Amino acid sequence: MTRPPARVRVPFMDLRSLHVELRDQLAEAALGVLDSERVLLGPELERFEQRWARVVGAPHGVGVASGLDALTLGLQALGVGPGDEVLVPSHTFVATWLAVVHAGATPVPVDVSVETGVWEPDAVAAAIGPRTRALVPVHLYGHPVDLDPLLGLAARHDLAVLDDAAQAHGATYRGRPVGGLTAATAWSFYPGKNLGALGDGGAVTTSDPQVAQRVRSLRNYGSTEKYVHAEIGWNSRLDELQAALLSVKLAHLDRHNARRHASALRYGEALADSGLVLPVVADWATAVWHLYVVRTPHRDALRAHLAAHGVETLVHYPVPPHRQPAFAGTAAADAHLPAADRLACEVLSLPMGPHLRDDQQDLVIDAVRSFRP
Ligand SMILES: *Cc1c(COP(=O)(O)O)cnc(C)c1O
């Protein structure tokens, strides 16, 4: 990782300080794999899969190579394929949409609410058509989606639900962890996520043994028996090294999430009268603050002001999927999605993560409070 330039006083994210803290444990885990000679589909993967499934309250966990693959293979395992339409949020990371295409189906965007940034059940209900096969709710920024109304809709219309939990490690919905609440849940262990590997990684958790078995086959060339290929699969495995490192980091997830939670509370108190729209947590939710996203029509000016004060910020996301060149020429590109367009202009992610010290956060807060649009 490149060091931030000296004028950055508060980095958006600081993986290095996170890894320094766990250096000895991570090194020991890596050496264990080096000495074992098992580098793929071995005991570390099984151990991590079982641990992760238990943490998120699902009977089965299957490690794959990335979050994108977890979404793609998860959809395929639920029977989504060519000719199907899958409803996706208009406001999300593009991978949610890409996975639908990789599964052979068509993503159909449903606009989110500007206020919450996530789906309203009524909008989803109105978008269900004869070809709709599945819903992909996204627990964006670490706040769980209100799943019960969506599960009700899915049951009435015989749709599969796969939730994208790439930003929601440890989040709970009505007291139950995200990860065992739908037909399948897709996870990413990209390094910057709340639980991140030292490279790419992902997983599918599910309570359905057949879905788990299908993902196991799909990730391994469509094979569960050596040299027998029952279907057209992929090569998408979570390797032993990443699995071993993830087991180390998993032991610190609650503590890291607690740090994020404390930082979110501090932001909330200190910025209550700042004129920004602040994120709110529903009373039925525990959010894990993957990102702390504020909203203002003066976003670009605020971002420049913060940069001038040495505060690094990011935008999640500046271009909505339907405006991406990759989707030019598809029906989605012509969709009317005003909330997604507006959020792309107004959202700003403040520094957030287990690395963020109070004195750094005070710098962010002072800089935000000194902003005059
Ligand atoms: C990170 C992310 C993904 C993709 O995960 P990768 O591991 O980077 O492939 C998918 N959806 C959302 C919402 C994400 O934040």
Side-chain angles (χ1 to χ4, degrees):
M1 219 182 93
T2 51
R3 278 181 152 287
R7 60 187 176 75
V8 173
R9 293 197 290 169
V10 188
F12 182 77
M13 192 168 74
D14 183 2
L15 283 178
R16 196 167 178 278
S17 75
L18 204 65
H19 293 156
V20 162
E21 174 195 306
L22 305 176
R23 192 173 189 280
D24 292 346
Q25 294 173 60
L26 292 170
E28 194 185 327
L31 287 173
V33 175
L34 184 65
D35 293 338
S36 79
E37 295 176 44
R38 281 297 293 270
V39 292
L40 284 167
L41 299 177
E44 290 293 350
L45 175 62
E46 263 179 49
R47 191 155 33 228
F48 175 72
E49 286 177 336
Q50 283 167 15
R51 282 181 184 165
W52 183 239
R54 192 171 336 115
V55 164
V56 304
H60 308 280
V62 186
V64 295
S66 70
L68 173 59
D69 285 3
L71 289 161
T72 304
L73 275 56
L75 285 169
Q76 286 192 306
L78 294 177
V80 171
D84 293 335
E85 292 180 350
V86 176
L87 302 188
V88 291
S90 59
H91 179 62
T92 181
F93 182 54
V94 71
T96 315
W97 289 42
L98 296 179
V100 176
V101 177
H102 287 307
T106 303
V108 175
V110 178
D111 211 10
V112 297
S113 138
V114 174
E115 279 68 41
T116 61
V118 297
W119 272 349
E120 293 293 338
D122 287 351
V124 178
I128 294 171
R131 287 171 169 254
T132 309
R133 185 79 173 66
L135 312 177
V136 185
V138 180
H139 308 294
L140 199 69
Y141 305 151
H143 189 295
V145 172
D146 192 2
L147 279 175
D148 283 345
L150 298 176
L151 291 170
L153 272 179
R156 280 198 293 290
H157 296 270
D158 193 23
L159 308 175
V161 178
L162 173 116
D163 50 337
D164 179 341
Q167 304 188 357
H169 311 76
T172 71
Y173 174 66
R174 299 194 184 278
R176 290 171 302 155
V178 165
L181 306 174
T182 61
T185 303
W187 303 93
S188 163
F189 305 119
Y190 174 82
K193 309 291 189 188
N194 289 39
L195 177 61
L198 272 73
D200 278 310
V204 175
T205 55
T206 177
S207 47
D208 184 336
Q210 282 174 341
V211 171
Q213 192 53 29
R214 186 86 196 280
V215 177
R216 278 182 213 287
S217 162
L218 285 167
R219 76 173 174 186
N220 194 39
Y221 317 108
S223 167
T224 47
E225 190 185 334
K226 208 165 173 65
Y227 302 126
V228 179
H229 301 272
E231 60 184 330
I232 305 296
W234 309 78
N235 174 358
S236 179
R237 293 153 327 191
L238 180 65
D239 61 69
E240 289 289 284
L241 187 55
Q242 297 307 333
L245 298 171
L246 282 164
S247 285
V248 170
K249 293 187 82 177
L250 177 53
H252 301 272
L253 176 64
D254 285 350
R255 185 170 55 83
H256 287 161
N257 279 345
R259 275 294 305 155
R260 291 174 184 270
H261 189 69
S263 299
L265 282 180
R266 281 184 101 232
Y267 274 142
E269 281 164 18
L271 301 179
D273 60 353
S274 63
L276 302 176
V277 180
L278 302 183
V280 289
V281 181
D283 55 11
W284 39 260
T286 314
V288 288
W289 303 104
H290 175 59
L291 297 169
Y292 192 89
V293 178
V294 300
R295 201 153 59 77
T296 166
H298 312 290
R299 192 269 311 281
D300 292 339
L302 174 60
R303 191 165 190 220
H305 174 83
L306 293 177
H309 284 75
V311 175
E312 213 173 41
T313 58
L314 290 176
V315 172
H316 298 90
Y317 298 89
V319 180
H322 72 284
R323 302 266 177 214
Q324 294 291 350
F327 289 97
T330 70
D334 297 328
H336 180 60
L337 303 166
D341 283 330
R342 186 165 155 200
L343 287 166
C345 298
E346 296 193 349
V347 291
L348 185 68
S349 305
L350 302 182
M352 169 56 82
H355 67 282
L356 188 65
R357 298 188 314 261
D358 286 356
D359 62 299
Q360 292 177 312
Q361 197 183 12
D362 289 341
L363 266 167
V364 181
I365 289 165
D366 290 346
V368 172
R369 294 186 62 93
S370 68
F371 174 64
R372 297 284 171 273

